[in-house]
Amino acid sequence: MPAAKKHPELKDFVRTKNDSMRALLQTVEKVLDHDVNVFILGESGVGKDYFAEAIHSCGKRREKPLVRIDCAAIPADLFEAEIFGFEKGTFTDAVARKAGKLEMAHGGTVYFDAVTSLTANLQAKLLRAIQDKSFTRLGGHEAISFDARIVSSSSTAVESLRNDLLYRINVVTLTIPPLRERREDIPQLARMFVARRKHGIDDAAMQMLMEHRWPGNIRELRNAIDRAVLLEETDVITPNALPSFTSDPVESAAEQQWTLEQLEARYIREVLRQTRNNYSRAAEILGINRKTLLEKRRKYGIE
Ligand SMILES: Nc1ncnc2c1ncn2[C@@H]1O[C@H](COP(=O)(O)OP(=O)(O)OP(=O)(O)O)[C@@H](O)[C@H]1O
Ligand SMILES: [Mg+2]
């Protein structure tokens, strides 16, 4: 592959301060001007659709259509008609000829979302179309050329895909890291989501956003901000407007690689806050005596 051309518009599309994301964008930059099929992996809500759109709209086929095929939502018995199209009279409801999605994507990009949900039979048919670079409408004879970049995505393991299909659609793999592994991107994403409607996010609220585990990734962050914008009466988002994030605190501490002392200090501080500095009660909850609690409080500089 020749050296990658610079695509500054890509960096506007996906803004990041994270090293793995930067490496990912470098890979994307290399494929934009070439007909390389791309496979996008990542948890739900990390931005797989968003990346598919970035690849299409920054790439050489940007003037042509981007057609999304949701492989998990289309029933298996309708799938062929949906992607290959059909001729009039092929089945009872076929009152007129209809172009399929592969035909609509001609010259552009076809995005197979949740591609791992395709049945073995459909995988075989899709593979044939990719290998032959052509297909026919159901009930038709005319060979229609299949000319589109293929982008596919999955949030689960790819074992359910046959190898020869995987080999075709997975020339380059992009694995998008979960949001909790790129926390440095949370502030700018959050600010981007509030930008149009609100002026800011206060420090305490930002701290909450930084610490949450985000199992739903960027989608969850976006929803949390949308909701906060509605609930917050002033022009700054405060913790009150955020959902009460309940996740396993130990899991989240481990992900952030806290030391035992950090964890202990945080826990003591929180128990003191909840007992309104009732030291006897806090010591009882913590299972230590009052003297030990006071020592730890001093050690950790808890007010
Ligand atoms: N880098 C980004 N910058 C701004 N918004 C983003 C970014 N990535 C994702 N989003 C937004 O986050 C939401 C979820 O993204 P998207 O739908 O692409 O996730 P997904 O990985 O396809 O999720 P699923 O597995 O559930 O289909 C969307 O509203 C999208 O616009
Ligand atoms: Mg998606």
Side-chain angles (χ1 to χ4, degrees):
M1 222 182 273
K5 220 176 73 187
K6 286 285 168 213
H7 281 273
E9 72 279 21
L10 180 66
K11 296 208 176 62
D12 288 334
F13 215 105
V14 183
R15 290 175 179 273
T16 185
K17 296 186 163 144
N18 175 269
D19 290 342
S20 324
M21 287 292 288
R22 284 198 179 122
L24 214 64
L25 290 179
Q26 277 181 0
T27 309
V28 174
E29 208 150 46
K30 286 185 194 145
V31 303
L32 287 177
D33 296 318
H34 306 278
D35 275 330
V36 176
N37 291 342
V38 181
F39 197 97
I40 309 174
L41 280 171
E43 286 180 15
S44 178
V46 289
K48 296 182 295 295
D49 290 21
Y50 194 84
F51 258 79
E53 207 186 315
I55 292 168
H56 176 75
S57 55
C58 302
K60 65 178 216 172
R61 290 171 176 266
R62 69 175 78 85
E63 306 295 335
K64 302 286 175 140
L66 164 66
V67 175
R68 173 168 174 264
I69 298 173
D70 186 345
C71 302
I74 304 172
D77 55 343
L78 299 181
F79 192 81
E80 278 181 76
E82 189 76 19
I83 73 166
F84 299 128
F86 50 80
E87 297 292 339
K88 181 176 173 180
T90 310
F91 41 86
T92 327
D93 293 338
V95 291
R97 165 194 279 179
K98 187 166 182 266
K101 295 208 159 172
L102 298 187
E103 204 172 332
M104 293 182 212
H106 190 78
T109 305
V110 54
Y111 171 43
F112 290 99
D113 194 2
V115 68
T116 36
S117 21
L118 287 183
T119 63
N121 176 38
L122 293 172
Q123 289 182 35
K125 296 203 158 129
L126 178 59
L127 177 66
R128 238 249 321 274
I130 297 172
Q131 278 170 341
D132 296 351
K133 293 197 169 59
S134 81
F135 56 91
T136 52
R137 298 189 196 101
L138 298 188
H141 301 289
E142 183 195 347
I144 298 166
S145 79
F146 177 10
D147 169 29
R149 183 209 291 274
I150 302 176
V151 177
S152 315
S153 80
S154 173
S155 52
T156 58
V158 296
E159 277 88 55
S160 63
L161 284 184
R162 45 188 293 169
N163 275 331
D164 42 10
L165 178 63
L166 190 60
Y167 163 78
R168 293 278 176 167
I169 62 177
N170 184 20
V171 179
V172 167
T173 314
L174 303 177
T175 304
I176 308 180
L179 188 55
R180 63 182 171 280
E181 286 172 19
R182 50 173 179 125
R183 290 185 190 273
E184 58 272 53
D185 284 346
I186 293 174
Q188 64 179 358
L189 282 166
R191 288 198 190 97
M192 190 178 99
F193 295 141
V194 290
R196 267 162 269 140
R197 297 154 298 191
K198 292 268 161 173
H199 308 303
I201 301 174
D202 79 6
D203 290 350
M206 190 61 93
Q207 183 75 16
M208 279 177 73
L209 297 179
M210 289 296 280
E211 283 172 9
H212 180 50
R213 195 171 173 271
W214 301 113
N217 294 294
I218 301 185
R219 177 177 301 112
E220 187 189 355
L221 174 62
R222 192 175 183 164
N223 289 342
I225 300 284
D226 285 349
R227 182 173 167 275
V229 164
L230 286 177
L231 293 181
E232 192 61 66
E233 276 150 18
T234 68
D235 55 9
V236 175
I237 290 174
T238 61
N240 291 336
L242 291 175
S244 54
F245 297 121
T246 42
S247 64
D248 179 350
V250 175
E251 201 175 351
S252 121
E255 261 154 19
Q256 293 175 64
Q257 305 191 345
W258 284 4
T259 62
L260 273 179
E261 288 199 344
Q262 280 174 313
L263 189 60
E264 184 175 72
R266 285 296 299 264
Y267 186 52
I268 293 173
R269 185 177 284 126
E270 185 56 27
V271 171
L272 283 171
R273 193 187 67 79
Q274 291 194 13
T275 56
R276 304 204 172 135
N277 285 334
N278 178 335
Y279 287 93
S280 307
R281 177 75 192 117
E284 198 179 302
I285 294 172
L286 294 165
I288 53 179
N289 63 41
R290 206 167 174 275
K291 182 164 163 277
T292 310
L293 173 58
L294 291 172
E295 278 166 14
K296 286 187 185 291
R297 183 185 142 234
R298 203 170 316 118
K299 173 179 168 193
Y300 295 130
I302 299 170
E303 296 298 310

